[in-house]
Amino acid sequence: MRKPIIAGNWKMFKTLSESVAFVQELAPKLAPFISVERVVCPTYIALAAVADALKGTGIGVGAQSVHWEAQGAFTSQVAPTMLQGLAEYIIIGHSECRAYLNETDETVNKKVKASLAYGLKPIIAVGESLQQYEAGETQQVVGGQVRAALSGVDAANMTNIVIAYEPIWAIGTGKSASAELANSIIGGTIRSTLNDLYGNQVAQSVRIQYGGSVKPENMQEYMSQPDIDGALVGGASLKVNDFTLLIEAAAKAKGI
Ligand code: 13P
């Protein structure tokens, strides 16, 4: 069985001290739910302190982006080598990075390969815009993003990859995709693309999350879907009680 993975994407929220205080409060609440992989992705400024505060708690840490070079003259950027020992996961290709920070399918692919090369696990975010959704282009857009992100990635590395389906129209809008729709894109488009690329065994083993207005009230519905293995959560991951309820709901829905 694929172990569920719930990751909190904090985006540009919480100062250093707020981040540390938050995980100190969160860690004991999440402690009972060892059957679910629990990850928080703070800003770079708080990454080291959060990683330190979470040592020994079983809660993983992720970064929100990474450069593809090991080092160099790239003002403002952080290299994968610098994340080793601090972060286990890296969110790559988030729609906000694609929209505001010039992230493209090509840079996503470079970042995925660089992360894997340094032993870091990419959470690859894919998803269509409202316009693409309404034009019936979801399958084509999402399938294309998955193929581009994984170009040159071999099957052996797929155990270290998580994919997050985040329809852009559902992010931070309060307008979530129905659980059935999310499941059909995740199973029918993403898993079937993985099947084309790597065969059925890999396609069935990769964990795929849903993201977009996930809340304690709708979490169980998503997690009851057979192809949804977790969630990439923005807003609701910034509150200790909500994040705890999400983890609890995931465990309950999967009966673990
Ligand atoms: P919200 O949960 O706030 O809609 O954000 C989703 C997201 O972008 C997670 O990466």
Side-chain angles (χ1 to χ4, degrees):
M1 199 190 112
R2 300 181 295 262
K3 184 174 185 172
I5 175 167
I6 316 298
N9 173 10
W10 293 1
K11 308 190 178 185
M12 198 175 70
F13 290 98
K14 297 190 189 298
T15 63
L16 171 58
S17 57
E18 286 166 354
S19 300
V20 171
F22 182 87
V23 294
Q24 282 168 343
E25 193 188 338
L26 183 73
K29 301 214 168 173
L30 298 194
F33 304 104
I34 51 170
S35 57
V36 176
E37 196 168 346
R38 300 138 294 167
V39 179
V40 293
C41 305
T43 61
Y44 277 133
I45 204 94
L47 196 68
V50 164
D52 202 41
L54 289 175
K55 268 202 186 102
T57 62
I59 301 172
V61 176
Q64 295 180 21
S65 186
V66 69
H67 198 273
W68 55 85
E69 295 287 348
Q71 59 176 17
F74 298 101
T75 301
S76 85
Q77 297 298 295
V78 172
T81 46
M82 297 164 188
L83 294 173
Q84 287 177 309
L86 289 182
E88 182 179 358
Y89 288 96
I90 302 184
I91 301 169
I92 298 175
H94 193 281
S95 60
E96 287 150 16
C97 302
R98 294 181 193 252
Y100 312 131
L101 300 171
N102 298 323
E103 190 83 280
T104 63
D105 280 346
E106 193 189 343
T107 60
V108 169
N109 178 242
K110 284 182 175 178
K111 292 176 180 187
V112 167
K113 287 194 280 200
S115 301
L116 292 168
Y118 292 101
L120 303 159
K121 300 174 184 166
I123 298 176
I124 303 170
V126 295
E128 81 286 8
S129 66
L130 182 60
Q131 202 185 9
Q132 291 164 331
Y133 171 67
E134 284 173 346
E137 294 168 1
T138 301
Q139 289 213 351
Q140 185 196 331
V141 170
V142 171
Q145 287 173 336
V146 171
R147 281 176 193 274
L150 296 174
S151 169
V153 174
D154 58 27
N157 264 315
M158 291 306 292
T159 49
N160 293 319
I161 284 186
V162 174
I163 297 176
Y165 170 56
E166 299 205 310
I168 299 170
W169 47 272
I171 297 176
T173 57
K175 201 165 144 187
S176 49
S178 74
E180 292 74 22
L181 174 67
N183 190 67
S184 78
I185 302 302
I186 287 174
T189 300
I190 300 179
R191 242 181 253 293
S192 76
T193 302
L194 295 177
N195 186 44
D196 289 351
L197 295 173
Y198 301 103
N200 189 49
Q201 204 182 334
V202 169
Q204 292 307 320
S205 66
V206 172
R207 293 179 296 173
I208 309 177
Q209 301 171 312
Y210 168 74
S213 301
V214 170
K215 306 180 269 270
E217 306 87 72
N218 59 22
M219 183 64 168
Q220 213 168 327
E221 225 179 306
Y222 287 115
M223 293 304 293
S224 302
Q225 298 290 329
D227 277 305
I228 302 183
D229 305 315
L232 184 57
V233 188
S237 76
L238 299 168
K239 297 181 196 134
V240 169
N241 280 342
D242 283 3
F243 198 56
T244 307
L245 288 169
L246 295 181
I247 307 288
E248 206 178 328
K252 203 166 157 193
K254 296 292 182 196
I256 50 178

